[in-house]
Amino acid sequence: MSTNIVWHEQALTKHDQRMRNKHHSAVFWFTGLSGSGKSTVANAAAKRLHELGVNTYVLDGDNIRHGLNKDLGFSDEDRKENIRRIGEVAKLFVDSGQIVFTAFISPFQEDRETVRQLLGTDEFIEVYVSCPLEECEARDPKGLYQKARNGQIPEFTGISSPYEAPDMPELVLETNRYSVDECVDQLVSFIKGKRWIER
């Protein structure tokens, strides 16, 4: 680790960015089992907010592992590092005045709390995308559960590796009970209830 580095303050502050964008900036941290609908709901929510004039971005687990985190595997330590890096990237988006959605299984409560500590008050919203394992396994959009059951994927969350559901998430979206649009409605209502959108 380099020690010859100095933090350089930005000319434009987070407050400046929020004032120009006319909305709050925060991380909506979607967590849940594979196949629960994290990416689907996050992208639909980003699109809906974009239509309302809100600057958004989606950080998707698979996409990040194609680039930034392509050097990481799926051991517990690599999963922790995966989440740490994403937390740091998400914080930059918040500093730029945007609402960022992260769609990662992020199975460990401790790691999600580590990201929360990186951010300020009302900047980390834990969104539990709740869906029973049997429903996620029935959907199996990527065929991963079948491979895990066949022993082709070791350390697969929900099968051979644990998932720790959030203790007190700010928002719970039950994708086995509600449609994608209904889940997005719930999320947008949450944001409007916070008065984070001025227009």
Side-chain angles (χ1 to χ4, degrees), residues 102-156:
T102 67
F104 298 83
I105 295 172
S106 47
F108 305 123
Q109 182 72 38
E110 180 183 5
D111 297 339
R112 299 192 298 266
E113 285 302 312
T114 296
V115 177
R116 185 187 291 274
Q117 296 306 312
L118 290 173
L119 296 147
T121 303
D122 269 346
E123 291 184 350
F124 181 90
I125 308 303
E126 189 173 40
V127 181
Y128 178 30
V129 183
S130 174
C131 189
L133 174 61
E134 56 269 21
E135 174 64 22
C136 293
E137 194 164 358
R139 295 174 182 176
D140 204 10
K142 303 172 187 175
L144 300 177
Y145 282 101
Q146 186 61 53
K147 289 181 179 179
R149 291 293 186 189
N150 293 339
Q152 296 171 264
I153 303 178
E155 301 176 302
F156 188 78

Side-chain angles (χ1 to χ4, degrees), residues 36-50:
S36 61
K38 298 180 300 299
S39 293
T40 301
V41 177
N43 277 280
K47 184 176 181 183
R48 177 85 65 85
L49 289 174
H50 176 77

